[in-house]
Amino acid sequence: MSSGGVVPAQNGGRGGADGRVDPGERRRAGEPQGAPVWQSSRPGSIYDYIKVASFSLGPDGRVDQWSERAAQMLGIPARHALGKDPVEAFVPGEFRETGRRKVSEILDGREWTGLVPYRREEGRAAEGLAEIYVMPAENEDGERGAVCLVVDVRALRGIETDLAAAQAVFGQSPMGFTLFGTDLKLLRVNERFATVFGGPASRYRGGTPHDFLPRPEAERMTVALRRVLETGEPVSEMQLVGQVPGEDDRRRWSVSLYRLHGASGRPIGVAALASDVTGRRRAEREAANARRNLALLNEAGARIGNSLDLETTARTLLDVAVPQFCDLASVDLYQGLLAGDEEQPGMSDGSAELRRVAFASAVSDVPLPGRAPEETPVEPGAVHRYPFNSPCAAALRTAQAQIIPGRESDDGPELGAVVHSTLAVPMVARDTVVGLVQFSRTKGSEPFGERDTALAVELAARAAVCIDNARLYRREHERALILQRSLLPPGDPEAAGLDIACRYLPGTTATEVGGDWFDVIELPGHRTALVVGDVMGRGLRAAVAMGELRTAVRTLALLDLEPAEVLGALDEIARGLGGSGDRGAMARTARSRSGAAPGGPARDRSAARTADLSEVYLATCVYAVYDPITRRCTFANAGHLPPVLVEEGEEALLLDVPPGMPLGVGGEPFEEIEVEVPDGALLALYTDGLVESRHHPLDEGLQAFRRALSDSDRPLEDVCDHVLSALDTSHGEDDIALLMARVHGLPKDAVGDWSLAPEPRSVARARELARDQLTDWGLQALVDTTELLVSELVTNALRHGQGEIRLRLLLDRTLVCEVWDADLAQPRRRRARDTDEGGRGLQLVGLLSERWGSRRTPRGKTVWFELTLPDGNATPVDPAEALLSLF
């Protein structure tokens, strides 16, 4: 081999144009399918990868041919190589002797293969290493030469490295690696794939996805492989589910597909890289469940317990749980606890009666089915029991959650055909089981696990505390309501000269019991006291305060004091009942409520909260006394809203009654006014709950109230209903008390009124007048008794009184006799001894009359007695028998 060297190759040319003939084109051209044919291959063969070049040596050992590929790969043009001794030209000096010997051997007809270092230019160190394949050849004259094939060793080493790396990646990858051909059949699988599915890797060569995946998943993967092969667009993170031999649990793989190309760019197959994401999927599911559980607990904490109503709290629990946690759910509470019983037989063993208070479903509107086909589903609101041996009874008995798996048997489905898993969770509050909540999941949902059980227990515990709080509140609320209603007048009150209609609407269960009250009190002389009041604050304390003040009002009214005096004495009582507190602030608020300085509901509620926190009894009150004979009504106001008067044909009028200070504040006297009330007029007393709410100001409510009263010609009961329907009375923010009275007075022929001279003969005159008046009224049965009692009262007036004597008889539902004199000394009943000749007059009056008493007047006093009118059944008391009973 002559001197010279081989240079490293660059990326060689592809050869000529692609002249490859498609077999389909041959068939269409009419050529026989099996005929041999010349055709060109596309660039990108193995020779392009290994970079093969060629040149030849003539008989003289010099280069006589130099290929273009040799010029490109070695970087030596043909003009610099042709005619030169390759050893001298390309081989470094230290290797030339060896090179000449090898060239001589080649020209003698021997083949040679070896590594030859080469340089590109003279004087430079060796830059490359070529592997040369030398094959002896002959020309047409029989002279020996050689054909040489040159391969760049660096390219070969690169190919070896790439093959080793590919083999390492393919063979040692922890993920499943598969290669599919263009026919979508497996060309090769790695050891990881074979380890997962069993058997040697060669077993799967030529297989399809149907050989290792379930049919639906295999069809999905086949479609994806075909799409990747046709479009070249890769597929990432395609989820496939299947099973591996020897395992029952399903596995999930994440598969990525991409198309493989040859050196020429033509598709040669599809590579699939699969990783087992079963654990990751499980971890993601657990993380998602944990996030869901935290979100559920957060939502439960925000929503459950916002209401003090049992049913609302139970429904809120189910709204939180369905469908985020389960598909169906129900809440059962012990019937005894709902009824107010602290302990009920059967609660300890779970056999006591329960009431289904709430049910929710995301799949149907039907209640939970029973555990057996013959069991009837429990409807919401129904009272039922759980059998002693049932899981639900066990949960109630042990206070432990029970998981009830759904399973179908020969006798029928245990929990219905649709429900496959149920959690029975007892509701425990303050170490007491108050009920049971059931969470159920239907087919298609995951069965309940340990995390689900813990979450269900937490949800049930939170709801149980809120339900128990609501139960305790309901019990206290009902007791306060019973107390409050027991202090209101029973039935429809009656009064002389008045038609009475009243309404009382307590606040909703979301608000506490208030201190509103009204009363109708009969006073002597057929007069009537109308009272409406409102204790500031709410709850049981307000109801108790209301009862105390109402009792005090009745007691003071029986003393027949003037309205202003009644409120003054009541103010002292309220101040004595309460303690210290910010009376001034609440007094200002109460004055604004009464109309002196209109304010908003916020100030009212602030004052109510202050009153609740203090120990002060503060209340507003209107006290009115109506005299049916004079047709006049006297009003006194303690910080309350003004009364409303509606005369026939006129608009409703707010009476200008001085508001005064609320009861319990003290410091200022009360004023009173007297108003003439004609027959047919309507008088309305009310509390602020009727006209005030957070939705509109007080003035607007008062105007609406006046408009609603403008049409007062209808019956009084209808007027009350119209007022409540016209105003916003459904807000439930406060109690509402409404007292209406239509005035008609006593007719003149129902009153007998005479003046008597202060002389003894007036006694006989009084008896005669009484006898004649009773005869005119047709009350002969009461003549004897009336004459006797009138005689006693007139005699006492002559003996102990002074000035002119006045006798008055009043007929309404009862007969009232009044004797007036100018002396201020009140009569006092005493017990006469057997030897006394007198002192038995008032005893006789008390014995024969229904009731009697005395009251002060502006000019003296009045002593009166009252007789029940005969009804044909009762026998009147014989005066003679009554007189003899005194001795």
Side-chain angles (χ1 to χ4, degrees):
M1 184 172 181
S2 60
S3 66
V6 183
V7 298
Q10 299 176 349
N11 187 15
R14 299 286 184 178
D18 186 4
R20 185 174 182 178
V21 179
D22 184 72
E25 295 180 357
R26 288 170 34 212
R27 287 194 298 271
R28 288 191 294 270
E31 296 183 8
Q33 184 174 359
V37 63
W38 289 87
Q39 67 181 27
S40 299
S41 298
R42 291 183 179 181
S45 67
I46 187 64
Y47 301 106
D48 289 323
Y49 284 105
I50 62 176
K51 298 180 181 179
V52 178
S54 66
F55 66 89
S56 63
L57 300 179
D60 57 358
R62 295 183 178 271
V63 177
D64 60 357
Q65 291 185 354
W66 190 261
S67 68
E68 293 182 0
R69 177 67 65 85
Q72 294 173 358
M73 185 177 71
L74 301 178
I76 302 175
R79 65 178 181 272
H80 294 162
L82 293 174
K84 292 186 177 182
D85 183 349
V87 176
E88 294 292 335
F90 308 121
V91 176
E94 61 270 21
F95 300 112
R96 288 178 182 176
E97 183 177 354
T98 303
R100 292 191 188 96
R101 185 172 60 252
K102 293 299 181 183
V103 170
S104 299
E105 293 176 357
I106 291 170
L107 293 178
D108 289 340
R110 294 181 61 182
E111 293 185 356
W112 180 80
T113 302
L115 298 177
V116 177
Y118 68 92
R119 66 173 180 268
R120 292 191 175 188
E121 297 179 2
E122 188 71 25
R124 296 185 59 185
E127 296 180 348
L129 187 66
E131 187 172 18
I132 300 179
Y133 301 86
V134 181
M135 296 168 287
E138 292 182 357
N139 59 15
E140 57 184 6
D141 297 330
E143 297 176 331
R144 288 187 177 276
V147 176
C148 301
L149 298 180
V150 183
V151 178
D152 190 351
V153 174
R154 291 183 301 175
L156 290 177
R157 296 293 181 267
I159 292 175
E160 291 176 356
T161 302
D162 292 343
L163 290 176
Q167 180 62 30
V169 171
F170 191 86
Q172 302 174 19
S173 173
M175 296 182 289
F177 211 149
T178 59
L179 296 179
F180 289 88
T182 55
D183 57 356
L184 303 185
K185 291 184 179 181
L186 283 170
L187 298 176
R188 187 178 179 185
V189 300
N190 68 345
E191 291 298 328
R192 176 60 180 170
F193 181 94
T195 300
V196 172
F197 288 97
S202 59
R203 168 186 171 186
Y204 297 94
R205 187 171 300 153
T208 65
H210 290 81
D211 295 328
F212 55 88
L213 288 176
R215 180 176 178 181
E217 299 293 272
E219 291 177 354
R220 286 181 57 223
M221 188 169 184
T222 302
V223 172
L225 287 170
R226 185 175 292 109
R227 184 170 65 251
V228 171
L229 186 63
E230 293 174 354
T231 66
E233 297 180 359
V235 173
S236 301
E237 302 290 334
M238 182 176 68
Q239 302 292 313
L240 296 176
V241 178
Q243 286 183 315
V244 297
E247 294 185 11
D248 296 331
D249 296 336
R250 296 189 305 173
R251 288 196 185 184
R252 183 181 294 270
W253 295 280
S254 176
V255 180
S256 298
L257 306 176
Y258 56 93
R259 191 169 67 180
L260 299 176
H261 302 86
S264 63
R266 62 186 178 89
I268 60 174
V270 178
L273 187 62
S275 59
D276 192 335
V277 295
T278 305
R280 186 180 73 185
R281 179 70 175 178
R282 185 181 300 110
E284 291 176 352
R285 186 168 58 250
E286 292 180 356
N289 290 339
R291 289 192 298 269
R292 182 202 63 186
N293 294 350
L294 289 176
L296 275 177
L297 290 177
N298 182 58
E299 184 180 3
R303 296 179 58 184
I304 298 176
N306 291 334
S307 172
L308 288 175
D309 180 73
L310 287 170
E311 287 76 9
T312 302
T313 303
R315 285 194 298 268
T316 303
L317 168 62
L318 301 192
D319 291 341
V320 171
V322 178
Q324 292 90 339
F325 178 67
C326 61
D327 300 314
L328 303 99
S330 64
V331 176
D332 299 323
L333 299 178
Y334 276 120
Q335 178 70 6
L337 296 180
L338 293 175
D341 299 334
E342 293 298 329
E343 188 67 29
Q344 184 186 17
M347 285 179 56
S348 59
D349 59 12
S351 62
E353 288 185 339
L354 298 105
R355 179 159 62 90
R356 179 146 297 174
V357 296
F359 168 78
S361 172
V363 295
S364 66
D365 295 332
V366 298
L368 283 170
R371 296 185 64 245
E374 65 273 8
E375 292 187 17
T376 304
V378 180
E379 299 289 340
V383 178
H384 64 101
R385 298 175 186 267
Y386 287 112
F388 182 82
N389 294 326
S390 66
C392 293
L396 290 170
R397 184 167 55 251
T398 62
Q400 300 292 326
Q402 302 286 325
I403 298 181
I404 311 173
R407 62 177 184 274
E408 296 186 2
S409 62
D410 297 337
D411 299 331
E414 181 182 0
L415 287 173
V418 70
V419 177
H420 75 83
S421 182
T422 295
L423 268 176
V425 184
M427 308 181 73
V428 183
R430 301 176 181 89
D431 298 329
T432 301
V433 178
V434 298
L436 183 76
V437 57
Q438 295 185 65
F439 304 101
S440 297
R441 288 179 179 174
T442 57
K443 291 183 177 179
S445 301
E446 294 184 2
F448 290 111
E450 293 183 2
R451 293 180 181 269
D452 296 322
T453 304
L455 175 62
V457 171
E458 180 65 22
L459 288 175
R462 294 192 179 193
V465 173
C466 297
I467 285 177
D468 194 53
N469 290 338
R471 178 185 67 85
L472 295 175
Y473 171 79
R474 172 181 287 187
R475 184 186 65 183
E476 297 302 320
H477 186 273
E478 289 177 351
R479 291 177 179 178
L481 194 59
I482 292 172
L483 172 63
Q484 185 184 41
R485 289 181 172 175
S486 67
L487 297 174
L488 296 175
D492 295 327
E494 296 181 353
L498 295 175
D499 291 333
I500 302 293
C502 53
R503 295 290 187 273
Y504 175 77
L505 299 180
T508 62
T509 55
T511 60
E512 296 185 45
V513 172
D516 294 11
W517 91 91
F518 66 91
D519 209 346
V520 179
I521 306 171
E522 294 186 68
L523 300 178
H526 284 316
R527 294 172 304 139
T528 304
L530 304 176
V531 188
V532 169
D534 183 4
V535 176
M536 294 186 186
R538 302 180 187 276
L540 187 60
R541 179 184 177 278
V544 172
M546 179 268 286
E548 293 175 330
L549 293 179
R550 177 178 178 272
T551 302
V553 169
R554 277 193 160 267
T555 303
L556 294 172
L558 293 179
L559 296 177
D560 209 358
L561 303 175
E562 295 297 326
E565 294 177 335
V566 171
L567 293 184
L570 196 61
D571 177 65
E572 293 294 332
I573 293 174
R575 292 168 63 189
L577 292 175
S580 60
D582 187 2
R583 303 174 184 270
M586 287 179 280
R588 290 190 294 272
T589 302
R591 183 181 289 110
S592 69
R593 295 171 61 194
S594 65
R603 295 182 62 189
D604 178 19
R605 289 190 292 272
S606 177
R609 287 192 296 269
T610 306
D612 283 340
L613 295 175
S614 68
E615 293 297 330
V616 180
Y617 282 81
L618 289 180
T620 62
C621 181
V622 169
Y623 187 88
V625 176
Y626 173 69
D627 190 338
I629 301 172
T630 63
R631 269 75 168 175
R632 301 184 71 84
C633 189
T634 305
F635 295 92
N637 189 352
H640 202 78
L641 294 173
V644 178
L645 178 64
V646 187
E647 298 185 13
E648 289 183 321
E650 301 291 339
E651 293 184 356
L653 175 66
L654 289 175
L655 294 179
D656 188 15
V657 181
M661 299 297 289
L663 301 175
V665 175
E668 292 186 15
F670 295 98
E671 302 179 36
E672 62 184 39
I673 64 169
E674 191 173 58
V675 179
E676 186 173 349
V677 184
D679 289 349
L682 181 66
L683 185 64
L685 306 179
Y686 54 96
T687 57
D688 59 347
L690 180 66
V691 295
E692 185 178 21
S693 77
R694 63 171 64 118
H695 305 296
H696 56 75
L698 176 61
D699 290 342
E700 184 179 330
L702 289 173
Q703 291 296 332
F705 183 36
R706 292 174 59 190
R707 288 193 299 268
L709 289 174
S710 59
D711 185 14
S712 60
D713 295 336
R714 63 182 75 185
L716 195 57
E717 295 290 337
D718 294 344
V719 174
C720 281
D721 295 335
H722 173 67
V723 167
L724 295 180
S725 62
L727 299 182
D728 180 19
T729 59
S730 60
H731 51 76
E733 298 173 7
D734 197 2
D735 295 356
I736 295 175
L738 176 62
L739 178 61
M740 288 189 178
R742 175 166 285 142
V743 177
H744 51 74
L746 288 181
K748 292 183 179 181
D749 57 0
V751 178
D753 195 350
W754 305 274
S755 296
L756 302 174
E759 54 187 17
R761 63 178 182 175
S762 294
V763 176
R765 176 61 179 163
R767 288 198 300 267
E768 180 183 355
L769 293 173
R771 184 188 312 111
D772 294 342
Q773 185 64 67
L774 293 181
T775 301
D776 292 342
W777 288 339
L779 299 177
Q780 289 82 358
L782 299 179
V783 169
D784 294 339
T785 302
T786 304
E787 280 190 86
L788 177 60
L789 299 184
V790 165
S791 175
E792 289 293 335
L793 294 186
V794 172
T795 301
N796 286 342
L798 288 173
R799 287 183 178 179
H800 308 290
Q802 59 183 359
E804 185 181 38
I805 299 173
R806 182 181 175 188
L807 173 64
R808 188 166 73 171
L809 295 178
L810 307 175
L811 178 62
D812 192 67
R813 292 175 293 109
T814 60
L815 176 65
V816 174
C817 176
E818 299 177 332
V819 176
W820 305 46
D821 64 69
D823 186 61
L824 295 177
Q826 296 293 317
R828 182 172 61 88
R829 182 178 176 181
R830 65 183 181 87
R831 181 174 297 277
R833 294 187 295 270
D834 294 341
T835 57
D836 291 342
E837 296 182 359
R840 295 180 176 86
L842 293 181
Q843 293 186 38
L844 186 62
V845 172
L847 186 62
L848 294 178
S849 64
E850 183 70 20
R851 55 180 182 152
W852 74 278
S854 65
R855 69 177 188 275
R856 291 181 299 169
T857 65
R859 298 182 181 85
K861 68 174 182 298
T862 300
V863 183
W864 57 272
F865 66 85
E866 182 178 342
L867 296 177
T868 303
L869 299 182
D871 57 2
N873 297 325
T875 303
V877 180
D878 185 1
E881 294 293 336
L883 184 59
L884 292 175
S885 66
L886 297 178
F887 296 94

